[in-house]
């Protein structure tokens, strides 16, 4: 029986402000990262969006550019704000944190040049495929759903 690092980890996790990219590879789908099976990260062994923590005093979009450069050698050219989730962890005697999501369209040629520096794997999934995966970080899954089902969520009028 394999040990699930999400449940067996004892390392203290550090919540903080973060950014993530909904990387859209032309009409193919969303570029996802299979997170390493390490107990010192959030949702090890799950598929998630590329991105990471915002450093103190850093602008969120600048953090996204830095993270994509570090993780994929992707030079951020286009990023459109999509959504922000706020996590109020006062019940745990922690602060309030945010996770900003940006739409980052890339070409297939750009995807072919990417170099994975963090994570166990990267893969492009259609919206339907990734939303049926059993191991996706929950907050990223919700952002993916919001983008994939955006026509159903459009404001009336």
């Amino acid at each position: 029986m394999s040990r699930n690092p999400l449940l067996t980890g004892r390392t203290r996790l550090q919540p903080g402000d973060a950014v993530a990219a909904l990387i859209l590879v032309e009409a193919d789908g969303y570029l996802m990262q299979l997170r390493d099976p390490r107990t010192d990260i959030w949702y090890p062994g799950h598929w998630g969006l590329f991105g990471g923590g915002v450093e103190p005093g850093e602008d969120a979009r600048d953090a996204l550019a830095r993270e994509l450069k570090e993780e994929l050698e992707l030079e951020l050219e286009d990023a459109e704000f999509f959504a922000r989730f706020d996590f109020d962890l006062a019940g745990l005697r922690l602060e309030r944190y945010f996770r900003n999501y940006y739409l980052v369209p890339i070409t297939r040629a750009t995807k072919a040049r990417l170099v994975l520096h963090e994570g166990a794997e990267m893969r492009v999934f259609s919206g339907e495929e990734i939303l049926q995966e059993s191991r996706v970080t929950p907050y990223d899954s919700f952002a993916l759903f919001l983008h994939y089902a955006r026509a159903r969520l459009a404001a009336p009028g």
Side-chain angles (χ1 to χ4, degrees):
M1 182 167 125
S2 70
R3 293 171 39 115
N4 181 337
L6 176 66
L7 303 175
T8 61
R10 297 292 177 249
T11 307
R12 184 174 299 276
L13 297 173
Q14 298 295 320
D17 295 334
V19 291
L22 289 145
I23 300 175
L24 306 166
V25 183
E26 297 191 26
D28 300 342
Y30 303 95
L31 182 64
M32 303 295 296
Q33 174 196 57
L34 180 59
R35 297 174 60 76
D36 288 314
R38 299 178 8 211
T39 60
D40 63 331
I41 63 173
W42 295 91
Y43 294 98
H46 285 62
W47 288 100
L49 297 170
F50 286 92
V54 177
E55 295 176 0
E58 186 177 34
D59 175 77
R61 192 180 183 291
D62 291 342
L64 182 68
R66 177 182 49 76
E67 288 288 343
L68 295 179
K69 177 79 170 161
E70 291 172 2
E71 295 179 354
L72 292 169
E73 296 184 17
L74 176 62
E75 294 289 343
L76 186 62
E77 295 177 13
D78 188 20
E80 178 185 339
F81 177 80
F82 176 68
R84 173 183 170 126
F85 300 161
D86 288 310
F87 300 91
D88 187 343
L89 305 180
L92 297 171
R93 294 195 301 236
L94 295 169
E95 297 178 25
R96 184 181 194 126
Y97 301 100
F98 69 81
R99 186 168 179 86
N100 282 1
Y101 289 87
Y102 296 85
L103 301 175
V104 178
I106 65 171
T107 64
R108 290 180 188 105
T110 298
K111 193 268 180 200
R113 290 190 302 269
L114 298 178
V115 179
L116 182 66
H117 290 290
E118 287 186 25
E121 182 183 342
M122 68 176 160
R123 187 185 323 165
V124 176
F125 290 86
S126 71
E128 191 171 310
E129 288 171 329
I130 194 60
L131 291 170
Q132 292 183 54
E133 275 291 319
S134 61
R135 292 189 132 201
V136 179
T137 58
Y139 34 79
D140 290 347
S141 181
F142 186 53
L144 287 159
F145 168 74
L146 290 175
H147 186 262
Y148 181 71
R150 63 194 177 280
R152 293 176 54 201
L153 303 169

